[in-house]
Every structure is written in C-alpha cells, then in structure tokens.
Amino acid sequence: MKPLIRGGHRIPCFGGRRCVRLVSACRRQNLQVPPTDAPLTGPRLAALFVAGLLLLNFPLLALWDHPVTVWGLPLLPAALFAIWAGLIAVLAWLLERLPD
Amino acid sequence: MLPVALVLGASFAYLLGLFGVAAWAERRAAAGRSVVGNAWVYALAMGVYCSAWTYFGSVGRAASGGVWFLPIYLGPTLAMLLAWRVLRKMVRIARAQHITSIADFIASRHGQSRGLAALVTLIAVVGIVPYIALQLKAVATGLHLLTTPAGAAAPAPGPWWADGTLGVALVLAGFTMVFGTRQHDANERHEGLVAAVAAESLVKLLAFLVVGAAVTWGMFAGPADLFARALAQPDLARLLTLGQGQAFPYAQWLALTVLAMLSVVFLPRQFQVMVVENVDERHLKRAAWVFPAYLLLINLFVLPLALGGLLHFQGRAGGGVAGADLFVLSLPLDAGWPGLALLAFIGGLSAATGMVIVEAIAVATMVCNDLVMPLLLRLPAVAQRPALGGLLLGIRRGTILALLLLGYAYFRLAGEATALVSIGLISFAAVAQFAPAMLFGMYWKGGTRAGALAGLWAGFGLWAYALMAPAIAKSGWWHTGFVSDGPFGIALLRPEQLLGLGGLDPLTHALFWSLLANAGLYVAVSLARAPSALEAGRALLFVDADRRGGPVRPVFWRGQAQLADLQALSLRFLGPVRTRQLLQAQVAGQGVPDVAALRPEAALVQAVETALAGAIGSASARLMVAQVAREEPLALDDVLAMLDEASQLRRTSQALQAQTARLEVATGELRAANARLAELDRLKDDFMASVTHELRTPLTAIRTLAELMADEPDMATPQRQRFLGIVVAETERLTRLVNQVLDLAKIEAGHAEWRSADVDLPALARQAADTVQPLLAERGATLALDLPAALPLLRADPDRLLQVLLNLLSNAAKAVPAGDGRITLRLWGDAGGVHGEVQDNGPGVPADQRALIFERFRQGGSADHRPAGTGLGLPISRQIVAHFGGQLTLRPDTGQGACFHFHLPWTPAAAEPPPPAGDTA
C-alpha cells in the first residue's frame, strides 16, 4: 500500500472513504494529489474475476450439491445466490472507494 | 381472464407513459439539466439485458432445469468484474473516434473497412432476428393467455393478416420508429431513449418482484414452505440438485457462462446503452456493481415461481414444463388476482419493448451507416444531394420496420415449436462472434482487416451451419436427416457433431467450433501479412487509447484538401450548428483569428472525418472525405514517422509540464524567501530604531551636561564632579551597547574569539553574584545561591559564561518587583553535563512574548514600554550557550515568575552552529 504524503508527513492510506476524503481535500487546496492504492484496483478486479470463475464452475460447484436446507432454503441455489451476492459486494467495495 | 380492451388499453397507456418519460428527459436535456448524466440511470439502462426471455423464459428454464437459468446472469456478473478495465477502454475509444455501433467499432479498428462493417452488420441482423421473434412470441402468447378463458386450447395460427403477433410487431415497429428516430440530426446519443429504458427496467423489476412475493407469501406460506413442499416430491426435488440424477455437464455450464459474458457487452443493444450512450466514463464505477445487483434481484423469485407453478398446476392444464414460460402470468390469474396478472403482463411488455426498441435502433444505425449508406454514396445522384439528414432517418425507419417483420417471419417459421430460451441462445452465439475481433482489436496491434474478415466469416458460417440450420430443420421446415446423418450422409459433417466431436450439447458444440475458428483465423491470417499503414495507424489509436500520455494524438493522414469542401461536407451531414462548433474548436487549436483563416491541415481533416463518423459511420466517413480531398497514400514508414512525431510531441509536452511544475515550486520558494527577507528587513529597521534610541539617550545626557559645564565656567566643584560622574557612566553605557552590538555581530558571523579553560562553574556563579550585588541592592532584591559543593571542571570560556550568568541575573533583577525581589540561582550536575537555573518572582514572560525574547532583533515588552537594556543580552547568551553545545531555554510558565534554564554538556561535540532563532523557545 502506498502512503499518502501530506505536509511532509506520511499517512498510510489503504483506500476507502478516508482516503477519498484526503484526496479531495488535497484537490481543494490545490496540492499535488498523493498516490493512493488505486493502481491496485485493476489487479484486484482481475483476481476477483478469477475467483468468481473458479467458485462458479467445476469442481467447486459440486460442494453445494447436497440435499440439505439452510433456513428452509435448499443448499444449492442458496449457495449460488450467496456467492453471487458476495462477488457483487466485493466489486462494489473495490469500485466505490476509488477516488474520482 | 381479462377483457381484451382492458389489456390493450393498459398496454397503450403504458407505452404512452414511456413516451412521456422520453419527452420529459429530452426537455430536461435541452434545458441543460440532463437526467441521463447519472450512474444509477446508466446502470438501470443496462437492465435492458433482461428482455422477455428473462421475464418469462427464466421461469420456464428453471421449471425444466433447476439452477440452469443462472449462467445467463452469472456470466454478465463476471463480465462486469472486468468492466472497469475493458468496458472503460471501449468507452474511451468510442468517444475519441465517434463510434456509434459495434460494426463501426470493428471496421474502424481494422482500417475503416467497409466490407468488414457490412459483414458485422449482416451477422448482427441475422443473429438478432430470432431474438426479436422471441419478444414477439412472448408478448403474443402472454396476451392470448390473459384474454382467453382458462383451459381453452391454444387456437391454431390463423392467416397472417389476422394474427395478433403481427399486430404486436407492427405496433412495436411504429413505436420504435417514432422513438429512436425523432431527431432530424442523426447524432449518436438518445437521452430520451435511455431515460425510457431505465424506467422500463424499473417497471419490469418491480412487477416481477411483486408477482414473486405475492406467489411466495400469498399462495404459499413463504419460501420455506414452498421449498419444503417441492422437496417432498422426488421429481421436483431433483430440480434442486446439480445434475438431476445424471452427471453434471460442466462444459455446458461454462459455455453458457462465457456466452452470457460476451453477450452482455457485444449484443447490439448492450453496446448501445453501455458504450454509445455512456455520458461519463466514471459512471461505470457504480454501474459495474449496480447492474449485477439488478440481475440478482430480478432472479430472486425465479425458482419460487417455477416450483410454485409446478406445484400449483400439478396435473392441470397450463401446468407442467410446457406452461412454465407463462407461470408469471398464469399463477396470479389462477389465484384470482387479475390486477396482479395485468401488472405482470405490463412488466413483460416492458421487458420486450425495451429490448426491441434499443436493439432495433442499434441495428438500424448499423444497417444505415455500414450497409446502405456506403452503397448509396457511390451513386452520383445521392452523393450530390445537399442535405442527407432526412435520407438517413428514412433508411433507419425502413430498417426498423423490416427488422420487426423479419422477426415475425422467423416466429412463423421456427418460433412456434421452440422454447423462449433456446431461441435467445442462438442470438447470443451469433453476437459472441464479435468477441475475437473486438478484444484482439483492442489489445493487440497486429490484427488486420483480412484477419478480422476471415475470423468473422468462419465463425458466422459455423454458427449458421451448426446452430441455426439444425434449429430450423428441427422445427419441421427441413429434412432432419441433415442433422442426424450429415449432409449427403457424410457423418463427419453432422452439424451437431462436427468431425465426430461428440459428448457436447449442440450449443456448446457450436460455440466451441465457431469461436475456435473465429479466433484462430483472426490470429493466423493477421500474422500472414504485415498490416498496412492504415491498419497500423488505426491499431495504434485503439490499442493505446488507454495509455496515459499527453493530450497529443497522432494524425495518420496526408494530402491536400480545401477548407470550403470540408465545410460543405460537414454541413451536409451534421448541419450548421455542429459544423460551426466543430470548426470553432479547430480555430482555438490552430491559433488563428477566425474560421475563414483555418488551414486545411491533417488535424482538421481528421476532426471532420471523426465527426462525420458519428453520423454516417466510420467507413462512409472515410469514403466521403476521400472524395473531397486529394489524399496521398501512406506507407508504413510514414505511419511510424507520424507516430514518432506524436510521441515526440507528447514527450515535449510532458517535459514542458514537468518544467512548469518545477518553476511553480521554485516561484513558491522564492516568494517565501522574499517574504522572509522583507520580515528581516523590518526587524532590522526596528532594531536600528531601537539602537539609535538607546544611543541617543546617553548622548543627549552627555551633551546637555557638557554644555552646562561649558556655559558655566564657575560651576561649583561638587556639582561639576557629579555631572562628570554622570558623563562617565553614560559613556560606559554607550561603550557597553556598542560592544554588545559588535559582539553579537561577531558571534553570528563566526569571528568571535573563544578562550578555552577549565571552568569551576560554582566559583563563577559566586563571582557573578558579587558583581550584580550593587544592582540587587539598588532594587532591594535578594539573591539566593543553591550551589553544589563541587562540580567537575567544565572546558569552556569563563568570561563568556560569566557574561551569560550576569545577563540572566541582571535581567531577573530588572524584572522583580522593587523592594521585594527574590532571585534564586541554582546549579547542579548530572551524567550529561551541568544545569543552571535562574528563577525570579517577577511577573513572568507573557505568553505572546515567550517565542520572541530569544530573537535577535526583538526585545521583551511593547514598543512604547521597552525595559532597560539593549535587547541583545538574551540572544547573545543563547549563542554562547549554543557554542558550547548546550541550550538556553525559558522554562514553561508556572505563575511564579520567569525561570531561565541552561544546560551545558561536559564535552561539547565540536562547536555546533547556533540553532535558527525562535524554533525551540
């Protein structure tokens, strides 16, 4: 992770809302925008894609093929929807923390 | 059942409402308050992916295959994980090159080839027709189900003129024509369309969720109850497993996922809303996750509806897998909720119309720009018409009508027998053929026109042979022996087991062969021959579109053109307003006073061509510009030279930017230094004023006394003696002042002389106490000494240290209240060195002065109330202490007077430079 540099001090910036706020504060004060971990977003998304492809295909799919119910829902569709929702959540988290 | 009039009336009212939304959005856009410039609207517009196929077909698919409806939505989710990289690049390229369709994109990338644009258009039309048929079928059967009594047999298809499906097709065609081709300037964006599609996405999502919730909680006691009842029946429980009792075909699952991944970007309507209608690439950031979330929501109730329908209609008409495509309508209808059934139908209509409108507009743009216009423009009669806007619109409208009629024809031909989902997949497989040319074209500079043509022909041919032909044959229009035994009985050529490749379902099989041949030929043919200059130039513009560089873009054009010709060309296709905007932008770029003075150089020609591409497509634009300009053919060397030039320019501009940044930093530093100098100058002035004041006071006294004595020669001796005593004292004071100024100047300049001797600090302290005794007595103050019996000897200059002690003590003596002063001088030693402290019981140093008293040209007290002294004692003392490696500081205020503390190390680590003034006090 690259730290934000402001006023001669290094502030570790791991992205997220705080990082976005710092970056926009720097923009407002016409300071040089410090480096963030935004360059990592591309590789992270690629890794998430690979993870999604693996989770939703042979052979990991078979993990959920059991006649079991979770809170009354059959395991297979419940697991597929849960993986799906998880992918979307991580994607949203990765993209929304990017500064504009 | 519902009255026909009610259903038709509600449908028309809904379509009129959509018009209202579109008109409203366009009014807002004209007023400069666009509703489309918003990531949420953009994401909802992407929901046009969910057509009637999703709305009705997913339930049908789930009723026959369980979780098999999911890959069509998991694929897009995976694709959107890469959207931030891939789709954003596509948007950037399309924006820079004014690309309005996928055919334009592929053709523009591969040397602006008209043949390629035409081929892509052809594939899109042929591939999309079944998909449009699917929408018509869904709306027509839905309409029929709603308006006929339950249990009535489906009527035999009547003559074509009495067919409800034809009516649906014509109404949708009319609607689309008015909708997408309303503007007279055929520009690339349709704000009203996007707003209407976003509204439709919302309607179909809400309708589907409401129906799903009503069935789950109204007809059953919640999802747990529904699933429990389904699991109790072995044939339904089997739907909830992967393989349904057989080995799970993972290859098919993967193929469907990949197919959907490609389709979500390369379907003409998806390309239209995602790339062409994109307002701001930053919207992708939110849309990339909102769109998959939309897909998840709309699929939430698919399984409950499928299982619910199978349970509810068990053994009755309308039930079973055959009726499952319409469970969304038949379930609320059977439960006695006609209002809900109507809402469900409106949702399905919404899904179908949204898809048809956007798809037809996108394909019509392609047909017009990439198929018809290049042919028409060859005719002298057309090429010389003054304004072509009306002709463009006419072609587009005709295409839309033709497309919907083709869809209807396909529906009559093959649609009746096939489920919704299998029709849709045929279309998906067709548009997937665009993937190699698009993706290689965006990321590999070596792709050529010939490679793209070969790949697309092969992929399209195999798709038609292995997927389309069997589908038509199976619907009874052809001899099926062709499918089961191969053409002319050649088993190796069986369309669904090509070269004997078995074990795959027809879709996976066709997709594998067509994409393999497509990508393989693209690469192989591209590698067979070096790209031409034009191809290499276009490749650079596309592949490097993402690269962060300067604003400089290479211009790959050489020749001669006339400004009047270019202007006339632009006027014909773009109209006066956009022509003026275009030329004005160039005026700024060339730095000339007005439009008339523009030089028709390569950059201007390129700008006109790019703008034209937005209206008539890249290939036609190329043709038109070539007609008015005298072009010189480019060789590959020329392209490389132009690229060099551009990158040289980019480097220069980057260097310039860096230089500017450095200059700004330097300017800032200079400004700060200047401010500091001005401050120092002011301090110096203050100091000079203070010093001259101090000099003048004793001088005045001396002069006055001397004049008195001169005027009165017979002055009494005691009087004279007293006056002379004062003169001597004042002279001493003058000397002291001058000495101190010199002293400080010497120390600061490093010219001071330092003695080095072993100093007994307690003895020195006593000597200092004796020296200040008269002053203390005069002020009525007492001095207490707190000295250790013995301290190790310190290596330093005793005279200088005495000066420090005297200064601190006399300062204290001046500060304490008259008659009641108490001063303490403490000394102690530790491992590091010796410490000294002078504490008084005066008023202390005011907070705002604490930082100032050590400054060289400052003095404690306000300007009009200066304490006695020169204001140089403390700065000199601090310099002396610092010279011996120590520190002189003012202790934090405790409310009991001022306390100065100094510390001298036993062994000064060489003479250190004095610290800058004012940073430690």
Side-chain angles (χ1 to χ4, degrees):
Chain A
M1 313 276 174
K2 287 187 182 161
L4 267 172
I5 301 168
R6 199 175 61 158
H9 300 286
R10 305 182 127 235
I11 306 162
C13 177
F14 301 102
R17 211 168 287 158
R18 181 161 156 267
C19 186
V20 171
R21 270 209 304 273
L22 277 176
V23 169
S24 46
C26 289
R27 284 239 174 83
R28 268 202 308 280
Q29 295 165 21
N30 212 12
L31 296 172
Q32 194 180 4
V33 176
T36 65
D37 64 344
L40 278 180
T41 304
R44 284 176 186 166
L45 288 173
L48 189 64
F49 173 77
V50 173
L53 211 57
L54 288 174
L55 282 172
L56 295 171
N57 273 292
F58 176 82
L60 291 176
L61 214 52
L63 288 181
W64 318 106
D65 194 16
H66 297 292
V68 183
T69 56
V70 197
W71 300 303
L73 306 174
L75 179 65
L76 177 66
L80 277 172
F81 272 90
I83 294 170
W84 192 0
L87 286 176
I88 294 171
V90 178
L91 176 64
W93 180 70
L94 279 177
L95 288 182
E96 287 293 332
R97 67 213 288 272
L98 274 180
D100 268 346
Chain B
M1 76 168 264
L2 291 165
V4 180
L6 175 68
V7 177
L8 288 183
S11 304
F12 274 105
Y14 171 71
L15 291 180
L16 279 180
L18 274 190
F19 258 127
V21 171
W24 171 72
E26 267 162 24
R27 263 207 315 281
R28 290 269 304 225
R33 293 178 301 146
S34 173
V35 281
V36 175
N38 176 316
W40 292 96
V41 173
Y42 179 56
L44 278 178
M46 287 186 187
V48 75
Y49 181 72
C50 299
S51 64
W53 171 11
T54 302
Y55 199 84
F56 300 112
S58 277
V59 178
R61 180 73 163 174
S64 64
V67 292
W68 275 96
F69 68 99
L70 274 177
I72 298 303
Y73 307 95
L74 295 177
T77 304
L78 292 176
M80 294 318 275
L81 293 178
L82 298 178
W84 184 241
R85 303 300 295 276
V86 181
L87 208 51
R88 190 176 52 158
K89 184 168 186 178
M90 238 180 251
V91 168
R92 281 181 183 171
I93 294 172
R95 172 122 347 123
Q97 308 298 329
H98 285 240
I99 280 166
T100 54
S101 69
I102 202 159
D104 217 12
F105 195 104
I106 293 177
S108 181
R109 157 66 181 86
H110 299 95
Q112 294 170 307
S113 152
R114 284 190 294 283
L116 201 47
L119 175 60
V120 173
T121 306
L122 181 72
I123 297 177
V125 171
V126 175
I128 283 316
V129 163
Y131 209 166
I132 288 179
L134 184 160
Q135 313 299 320
L136 299 178
K137 175 178 174 174
V139 174
T141 46
L143 195 61
H144 177 255
L145 180 90
L146 272 192
T147 53
T148 44
W160 60 267
W161 42 264
D163 189 349
T165 315
L166 180 63
V168 171
L170 289 177
V171 168
L172 280 183
F175 191 62
T176 310
M177 275 192 258
V178 189
F179 221 106
T181 55
R182 287 199 307 161
Q183 301 107 323
H184 277 290
D185 59 331
N187 66 1
E188 51 260 62
R189 284 226 183 89
H190 313 76
E191 295 231 337
L193 175 76
V194 174
V197 168
E200 291 207 294
S201 289
L202 219 48
V203 169
K204 68 192 174 205
L205 175 65
L206 290 177
F208 198 84
L209 287 179
V210 167
V211 173
V215 168
T216 309
W217 280 279
M219 300 174 69
F220 296 86
D225 168 54
L226 195 157
F227 282 116
R229 282 168 61 180
L231 286 170
Q233 301 197 15
D235 53 334
L236 293 192
R238 226 182 5 253
L239 283 179
L240 294 169
T241 62
L242 260 188
Q244 289 151 39
Q246 293 152 6
F248 184 71
Y250 283 104
Q252 192 187 349
W253 180 273
L254 179 66
L256 276 178
T257 311
V258 171
L259 189 59
M261 244 175 87
L262 299 177
S263 304
V264 81
V265 182
F266 299 131
L267 274 170
R269 68 173 189 279
Q270 294 303 119
F271 189 84
Q272 181 80 26
V273 293
M274 284 181 174
V275 179
V276 180
E277 307 284 355
N278 176 290
V279 179
D280 184 340
E281 67 175 35
R282 284 173 298 183
H283 291 168
L284 264 177
K285 219 170 64 178
R286 178 154 300 154
W289 67 266
V290 174
F291 172 52
Y294 179 94
L295 295 180
L296 189 145
L297 278 180
I298 209 167
N299 277 293
L300 217 45
F301 285 111
V302 166
L303 263 185
L305 278 172
L307 295 174
L310 290 176
L311 285 167
H312 183 78
F313 288 109
Q314 219 155 30
R316 291 165 48 194
V321 173
D325 270 353
L326 290 174
F327 276 168
V328 183
L329 296 177
S330 56
L331 275 172
L333 207 58
D334 201 63
W337 299 324
L340 194 61
L342 187 62
L343 175 70
F345 177 72
I346 294 291
L349 183 70
S350 186
T353 50
M355 179 275 174
V356 168
I357 291 170
V358 185
E359 199 88 80
I361 288 173
V363 173
T365 309
M366 275 194 234
V367 170
C368 171
N369 287 355
D370 300 310
L371 208 58
V372 181
M373 281 311 279
L375 295 177
L376 283 184
L377 287 175
R378 286 166 189 270
L379 303 176
V382 175
Q384 269 136 41
R385 273 173 65 160
L388 288 168
L391 181 64
L392 287 176
L393 285 188
I395 297 172
R396 287 179 196 187
R397 291 192 179 135
T399 312
I400 289 170
L401 182 64
L403 208 57
L404 276 150
L405 290 179
L406 273 177
Y408 171 70
Y410 186 89
F411 166 70
R412 293 287 292 209
L413 201 73
E416 303 274 17
T418 336
L420 294 179
V421 166
S422 15
I423 305 182
L425 287 177
I426 293 177
S427 290
F428 270 31
V431 297
Q433 302 307 323
F434 301 148
M438 289 285 290
L439 294 176
F440 277 122
M442 277 166 62
Y443 291 98
W444 182 45
K445 288 178 190 163
T448 65
R449 186 184 71 92
L453 274 174
L456 279 171
W457 271 122
F460 179 51
L462 278 168
W463 167 82
Y465 182 71
L467 204 58
M468 187 73 159
I472 294 178
K474 280 176 191 165
S475 56
W477 285 81
W478 224 333
H479 181 48
T480 46
F482 153 75
V483 180
S484 52
D485 309 327
F488 317 112
I490 306 172
L492 273 184
L493 294 182
R494 275 178 302 180
E496 294 186 342
Q497 274 167 310
L498 216 51
L499 302 184
L501 183 72
L504 294 173
D505 65 291
L507 179 75
T508 312
H509 171 265
L511 194 67
F512 169 74
W513 277 120
S514 60
L515 280 183
L516 180 73
N518 189 336
L521 279 176
Y522 182 95
V523 174
V525 176
S526 292
L527 287 178
R529 183 181 61 77
S532 74
L534 184 60
E535 285 166 334
R538 303 303 298 179
L540 286 166
L541 288 179
F542 275 60
V543 177
D544 289 343
D546 234 0
R547 197 201 274 170
R548 289 189 183 177
V552 183
R553 291 181 183 283
V555 175
F556 299 113
W557 191 83
R558 197 165 58 188
Q560 284 177 337
Q562 299 294 322
L563 180 62
D565 293 340
L566 292 172
Q567 203 168 355
L569 188 63
S570 170
L571 274 174
R572 277 173 64 202
F573 289 98
L574 303 175
V577 179
R578 290 190 59 202
T579 301
R580 202 169 49 243
Q581 287 168 352
L582 176 69
L583 293 179
Q584 281 298 343
Q586 290 297 312
V587 166
Q590 289 194 2
V592 291
D594 58 9
V595 170
L598 277 176
R599 294 180 301 277
E601 54 193 31
L604 174 63
V605 176
Q606 185 103 346
V608 170
E609 183 179 325
T610 312
L612 275 186
I616 56 171
S618 160
S620 305
R622 184 83 283 281
L623 185 73
M624 296 311 293
V625 169
Q627 279 177 359
V628 301
R630 235 171 341 118
E631 303 190 333
E632 293 166 26
L634 283 179
L636 195 54
D637 290 347
D638 299 327
V639 170
L640 293 178
M642 286 169 174
L643 187 71
D644 268 356
E645 197 180 317
S647 54
Q648 187 68 43
L649 269 174
R650 182 181 294 155
R651 266 199 300 280
T652 315
S653 107
Q654 276 170 349
L656 206 63
Q657 277 173 3
Q659 194 72 33
T660 315
R662 273 200 295 278
L663 272 178
E664 268 167 19
V665 171
T667 314
E669 282 168 1
L670 277 178
R671 200 174 291 132
N674 197 25
R676 177 77 188 140
L677 277 179
E679 168 75 0
L680 285 179
D681 199 37
R682 201 180 57 73
L683 290 176
K684 209 101 180 170
D685 285 348
D686 285 358
F687 173 68
M688 287 310 289
S690 150
V691 165
T692 42
H693 177 76
E694 294 293 329
L695 287 173
R696 210 170 49 197
T697 318
L699 274 176
T700 314
I702 292 168
R703 206 185 75 195
T704 318
L705 293 174
E707 277 172 1
L708 272 175
M709 286 188 286
D711 289 349
E712 283 184 53
D714 50 351
M715 187 183 278
T717 310
Q719 175 86 341
R720 190 182 298 271
Q721 279 299 337
R722 201 165 62 81
F723 279 8
L724 284 174
I726 296 175
V727 167
V728 169
E730 290 297 314
T731 321
E732 278 170 358
R733 199 171 138 196
L734 268 178
T735 313
R736 200 167 60 241
L737 182 66
V738 171
N739 279 344
Q740 279 194 340
V741 172
L742 285 176
D743 209 18
L744 184 63
K746 267 200 225 163
I747 295 178
E748 282 186 349
H751 297 319
E753 289 166 19
W754 303 91
R755 247 172 6 104
S756 195
D758 288 331
V759 182
D760 180 9
L761 214 53
L764 206 64
R766 279 186 209 100
Q767 188 187 342
D770 290 344
T771 312
V772 293
Q773 199 52 51
L775 179 62
L776 293 170
E778 185 188 311
R779 300 279 300 166
T782 54
L783 173 63
L785 291 179
D786 179 3
L787 307 175
L791 272 178
L793 295 181
L794 190 71
R795 194 74 188 164
D797 184 335
D799 295 345
R800 293 291 188 185
L801 291 187
L802 185 62
Q803 194 181 347
V804 172
L805 290 174
L806 285 176
N807 179 259
L808 292 179
L809 287 174
S810 60
N811 277 355
K814 286 178 218 159
V816 291
D820 186 26
R822 285 191 309 281
I823 302 168
T824 315
L825 171 58
R826 264 189 296 275
L827 281 180
W828 72 96
D830 65 10
V834 61
H835 295 264
E837 227 174 48
V838 177
Q839 167 88 50
D840 65 46
N841 65 339
V845 181
D848 58 329
Q849 306 251 336
R850 296 178 62 87
L852 299 177
I853 52 166
F854 287 107
E855 290 233 356
R856 269 163 285 182
F857 303 127
R858 306 243 187 185
Q859 205 180 1
S862 57
D864 45 49
H865 179 73
R866 287 179 189 283
T870 57
L872 290 175
L874 277 176
I876 292 177
S877 301
R878 172 171 266 203
Q879 298 272 6
I880 293 169
V881 173
H883 179 82
F884 294 112
Q887 264 193 334
L888 173 61
T889 53
L890 177 59
R891 279 272 163 99
D893 197 0
T894 54
Q896 290 152 7
C899 176
F900 286 89
H901 168 260
F902 65 86
H903 164 76
L904 289 165
W906 297 123
T907 48
E912 281 175 34
D919 60 344
T920 44

